[in-house]
Amino acid sequence: MDKLVVEGGNYLRGSLPVGGSKNTALPLMAASLLGGGSCTLTNIPNLKDVTTFAHVLRVAGAKVQFDPDTNELDVDASTVDYPEAPYDLVKKMRASFYMLGALLGRVGKARVSMPGGCSWGPRPVDLHIKGVKEFGASVELDQGYVIAEAPNGRLPGGSFKMEPSSVGATINLLLAAVRAKGGSRIENAAQEPDVVVFGEALKAMGAKIEGLGTETIEIEGVDVLDSVDFRNSADRIELGTYMILAAMAGEPGDTVRLNGAGTKFLGNAFRDVFRETGADFTSEGEGADSYVEIAVPDELKPVSITTAPYPGFPTDLQAQWTVLLSQTRGEATVKETIYKDRFRHIPELRRMGLMALQGDGQVDVYGNAELKGATVMSTDLRASVSLVMAGIVAEGRTDVLRVYHLDRGYEELEHKLSDAGIDIRREEYDPQEAEPQRAAELPT
Ligand code: UD1
């Protein structure tokens, strides 16, 4: 297994590239199944989740080619003939469940394994299933699989109000509805940029969609969708992660530049609290040549956050914010309203000296923490990057074990950070030796 070894105490300097969005790339790949021909997607990050999902598409019969050097992904969907997403793949990555909508939309039927929970608690898919039923699919559960079928091969369409608003369910329902026979409506739809950009790609393929980025999305089904060449957006969570890191690990008075992303998709809440800490940023453009420049403050102020759907503070940035708070001179609270148990990183960060009090759905973080290096265990994607960040500002050496979690969502992290002045390297280790009894208690 791989681990990351960080020697703390170096400033983050210069510039880092931000890759394409993982959470937008996956629905774009699902969308590419809906046209009968070949789609080319660019700015696709070279991540484990992307290669896993490429495999899911191949199982359905698509021909997929990914060039990690150019970040270009080609999908030839003309050969899709097997409407199934097997357990082996869905258990590796929940987003494989997008195959429910994609296959219903493309071939009128789907047999997709139910995903399990995840390391921070249950993550239901009830809204996905209720939604496709409302759009006219017959659905039954058999041996852990959802078997869905459209009458006479095409969904009639319908109306569905989701509560709470769900990114994944909105994506699945869009996939199912764009080639339906009739019109559909999604109420309380997710307004996340990932949904909007994915919806724009569907529109470029010929889909008729109104209301993207608002609470109500209306879709008029079309008979055929075209192939498309589409550029994926930058990863707003990777950008936010590096902004937080620059603010706390940059040299006071210096600037750090993040290339390949703009701040448009960060949401107001993040932009506002980031500035309240005393850090600042300027930004230019949104495409390939865009950048964000962070001005590192002399001192960070503690600022409390509450996670919320877009444009609220993203749940995918709260673990990183916790580490930033430990470097401020005061006390602030991280409140999680989307996944109340998403705090698996706290016990690991405590082992490095984090002072925090955990309550129901929230953590009070005390500043002035003098973090010390330790051997710590990744538990999920965003938790693992928070451990790396803590290692960067800690004294001494930190070994972050089980970085396969991190590899799902951060492209070339150790290379990007090394190029920006951080002492970090990847090493192989034997889990039997390096992971004491605690290993048995943690999810693999
Ligand atoms: C997506 C992101 C994930 C992010 C999350 C919230 C991807 C691949 N993943 O996950 O990184 O943390 O959005 O921004 O894009 N819910 C239900 N029933 C459902 C579906 C969801 O009750 O059928 C609830 C969830 O438990 C949660 C809330 O809805 O409390 C939001 O979850 P959702 O937006 O669906 O998250 P994902 O799409 O799984």
Side-chain angles (χ1 to χ4, degrees), residues 22-24 26-27 49 93-98 120 122-130 162-171 190 192 194 236-237 308-310 313-317 336-340 342 381-382 408:
K22 167 179 87 73
N23 287 354
T24 310
L26 302 173
D49 273 10
M93 190 188 66
R94 299 174 50 81
S96 309
F97 204 65
Y98 292 153
W120 68 77
R123 290 179 72 184
V125 285
D126 56 312
L127 297 171
H128 305 233
I129 293 171
K130 282 184 196 146
M162 59 181 72
E163 190 56 55
S165 141
S166 154
V167 174
T170 304
I171 288 168
E192 266 67 6
D194 317 287
R236 65 197 171 98
I237 303 300
Y310 187 82
F313 191 100
T315 169
D316 287 351
L317 288 172
E336 173 61 72
T337 68
I338 297 177
Y339 299 112
K340 289 207 160 167
R342 194 177 191 177
L381 169 55
R382 307 301 167 187
R408 290 188 41 218

Side-chain angles (χ1 to χ4, degrees), residues 92-241:
K92 278 191 190 157
M93 190 188 66
R94 299 174 50 81
S96 309
F97 204 65
Y98 292 153
M99 293 302 274
L100 177 66
L103 290 168
L104 269 175
R106 176 63 202 279
V107 290
K109 55 185 170 187
R111 184 171 183 270
V112 180
S113 171
M114 285 282 278
C118 77
S119 67
W120 68 77
R123 290 179 72 184
V125 285
D126 56 312
L127 297 171
H128 305 233
I129 293 171
K130 282 184 196 146
V132 294
K133 273 189 186 163
E134 291 299 328
F135 286 6
S138 66
V139 179
E140 57 178 88
L141 265 180
D142 181 42
Q143 294 287 310
Y145 278 76
V146 178
I147 301 171
E149 198 156 345
N152 304 317
R154 270 179 85 187
L155 291 175
S159 184
F160 183 65
K161 179 172 184 174
M162 59 181 72
E163 190 56 55
S165 141
S166 154
V167 174
T170 304
I171 288 168
N172 238 336
L173 293 184
L174 274 162
L175 287 164
V178 286
R179 285 188 68 184
K181 260 190 171 160
S184 303
R185 169 199 278 259
I186 308 171
E187 286 180 49
N188 200 22
Q191 298 172 37
E192 266 67 6
D194 317 287
V195 176
V196 176
V197 174
F198 152 76
E200 294 297 342
L202 287 174
K203 283 168 85 168
M205 293 170 80
K208 291 193 179 149
I209 305 171
E210 298 282 344
L212 287 170
T214 73
E215 270 183 17
T216 307
I217 300 179
E218 309 222 37
I219 305 118
E220 193 52 50
V222 293
D223 292 341
V224 190
L225 288 175
D226 298 326
S227 305
V228 77
D229 289 356
F230 195 84
R231 183 180 162 82
N232 183 22
S233 56
D235 196 309
R236 65 197 171 98
I237 303 300
E238 188 185 13
L239 171 66
T241 301

Side-chain angles (χ1 to χ4, degrees), residues 10-154:
N10 291 304
Y11 286 126
L12 185 79
R13 291 185 188 285
S15 64
L16 284 89
V18 178
S21 165
K22 167 179 87 73
N23 287 354
T24 310
L26 302 173
L28 287 177
M29 290 168 72
S32 69
L33 290 189
L34 293 176
S38 296
C39 288
T40 300
L41 304 173
T42 53
N43 202 27
I44 299 297
N46 181 20
L47 295 170
K48 193 85 188 75
D49 273 10
V50 166
T51 46
T52 301
F53 202 51
H55 205 57
V56 175
L57 302 189
R58 284 189 195 106
V59 168
K63 295 190 186 97
V64 187
Q65 280 194 318
F66 179 51
D67 183 342
D69 296 325
T70 58
N71 296 98
E72 204 172 288
L73 186 128
D74 294 304
V75 181
D76 174 359
S78 62
T79 44
V80 169
D81 59 357
Y82 185 66
E84 180 155 331
Y87 173 67
D88 277 1
L89 292 170
V90 180
K91 79 169 187 218
K92 278 191 190 157
M93 190 188 66
R94 299 174 50 81
S96 309
F97 204 65
Y98 292 153
M99 293 302 274
L100 177 66
L103 290 168
L104 269 175
R106 176 63 202 279
V107 290
K109 55 185 170 187
R111 184 171 183 270
V112 180
S113 171
M114 285 282 278
C118 77
S119 67
W120 68 77
R123 290 179 72 184
V125 285
D126 56 312
L127 297 171
H128 305 233
I129 293 171
K130 282 184 196 146
V132 294
K133 273 189 186 163
E134 291 299 328
F135 286 6
S138 66
V139 179
E140 57 178 88
L141 265 180
D142 181 42
Q143 294 287 310
Y145 278 76
V146 178
I147 301 171
E149 198 156 345
N152 304 317
R154 270 179 85 187

